[in-house]
Amino acid sequence: MTDMIGFIGVGTMGEPMCRNLAKKSGMTVLAADRDPAPLKRLEADGVKTASLDEIATTCRTIFLSLPGGKEVEQVCLGEGGLVSKAKLGWTVIDLSTAPPRLAQQLYEEFEGRASAFADAPVARTRQAAIDGTLSIMVGATPPCFARIEPLLRHMASEVTHCGAAGAGQTVKILNNMILFQTVVALGEALAIARAQGVDGKVLFETLTKGSADSFALRNHGMKAMLPGVFPERAFSSEYALKDLGYAIEMAEAHGVPALGADVARELMERAVELGHGKEYWPVLLKAIEDATGKG
């Protein structure tokens, strides 16, 4: 691999991932973003600010960490996008969460220009991105996966080859769909317990000792829903709705009823209507409380 790596998009998750890549890989990282603030912070870690054109000219390995499919499509397929600049031996790795069909399309576009493409969406929290303990799900050919896995391990403690192009996105989106539905159940349980006069802390701590224990309970439930802390600059309700929409789109395409996902989407949409769109998505609890008249 070349010793120059491009990183496009250094937002909430991208900034710590880019930092870990720069600090651990021993390679020079060029980063691009519309917001100059994270780029300025990354300079202290040796990351060099660059334009998309500079990255395309200089780097053979390019990471994307963008808000969603719309942005990935624009950067890759828009006027002057990466596909039009692709060169022999390029590897483009998309860390964003985007539709599997887009990943498959980009794989075909880049392959047609003698370049490689991998979808490698990330799971777990921003703190995991900071700590380098993300879980990354990869859709790629076996040779491509073998090349990029060492780089991904600078950002993640779990790196899983899920299959061909689009497989990483599929697994990540379904991971989120399951998580969203679990948190809906936690929100409903918390609202019912409080209505019954049972302390929410007692409920959740007791659940950790039984079969309802889960990552969602210990993190989204106990650290966000219980204290009512839903910060911005975390994984927002608007972003969660995007991912849930991708899951429902896949279900509809294959005629699979996804009734639980529909319920989660309804509650998230209500949370957005209540003005919580920018807040950490377990704020969907507010939609449940609003329905009871106790929000």
Side-chain angles (χ1 to χ4, degrees):
M1 276 194 175
T2 177
D3 59 356
M4 300 285 280
I5 297 174
F7 205 106
I8 300 172
V10 287
T12 299
M13 298 293 279
E15 180 182 348
M17 287 192 287
C18 182
R19 178 173 291 110
N20 279 323
L21 186 62
K23 292 171 70 174
K24 298 176 184 179
S25 69
M27 301 179 187
T28 300
V29 177
L30 307 185
D33 198 280
R34 292 178 178 177
D35 184 357
L39 294 170
K40 185 66 176 176
R41 290 191 293 267
L42 286 165
E43 286 178 3
D45 301 291
V47 176
K48 300 182 184 299
T49 298
S51 67
L52 266 64
D53 283 343
E54 289 170 333
I55 287 174
T57 300
T58 309
C59 304
R60 288 164 57 88
T61 301
I62 301 173
F63 285 91
L64 309 178
S65 181
L66 300 168
K70 178 181 177 182
E71 293 79 8
V72 172
E73 185 171 1
Q74 179 61 38
V75 167
C76 292
L77 297 172
E79 184 177 353
L82 293 179
V83 167
S84 68
K85 302 177 186 298
K87 302 173 185 175
L88 175 68
W90 260 27
T91 302
V92 177
I93 306 151
D94 184 19
L95 302 167
S96 323
T97 301
R101 55 177 170 73
L102 177 59
Q104 292 162 349
Q105 179 184 359
L106 290 175
Y107 168 77
E108 292 172 0
E109 291 282 353
F110 281 109
E111 184 186 52
R113 289 162 174 78
S115 299
F117 175 84
D119 49 295
V122 305
R124 297 180 179 161
T125 62
R126 185 171 192 273
Q127 188 59 51
I130 293 169
D131 296 337
T133 56
L134 291 166
S135 174
I136 300 183
M137 302 132 182
V138 185
T141 64
C144 179
F145 179 75
R147 289 199 310 275
I148 68 176
E149 183 183 9
L151 292 177
L152 296 176
R153 291 201 175 275
H154 294 313
M155 300 176 279
S157 56
E158 300 289 343
V159 179
T160 306
H161 187 201
C162 299
Q169 295 291 4
T170 298
V171 174
K172 163 62 191 297
I173 290 165
L174 295 179
N175 172 86
N176 281 12
M177 184 189 77
I178 293 166
L179 176 62
F180 298 151
Q181 293 183 55
T182 303
V183 171
V184 167
L186 291 171
E188 292 174 346
L190 183 58
I192 294 168
R194 286 172 170 168
Q196 283 286 106
V198 173
D199 181 78
K201 187 171 185 288
V202 172
L203 170 70
F204 280 0
E205 287 183 348
T206 305
L207 292 180
T208 66
K209 304 171 186 177
S211 55
D213 191 17
S214 68
F215 175 89
L217 170 61
R218 292 175 180 267
N219 289 274
H220 303 80
M222 300 183 77
K223 296 178 182 178
M225 298 177 112
L226 193 61
V229 176
F230 309 106
E232 295 188 8
R233 279 192 58 80
F235 188 38
S236 71
S237 299
E238 293 174 344
Y239 277 12
L241 268 172
K242 168 186 67 71
D243 288 5
L244 197 49
Y246 295 155
I248 292 170
E249 180 183 296
M250 282 194 292
E252 290 175 345
H254 297 286
V256 178
L259 304 183
D262 285 334
V263 170
R265 178 166 63 176
E266 181 179 341
L267 287 170
M268 285 186 193
E269 288 174 341
R270 179 57 181 153
V272 172
E273 290 172 2
L274 291 171
H276 304 297
K278 303 296 183 184
E279 296 175 60
Y280 187 36
W281 68 268
V283 76
L284 63 80
L285 173 65
K286 299 287 188 181
I288 297 171
E289 292 174 337
D290 179 73
T292 68
K294 297 182 180 180

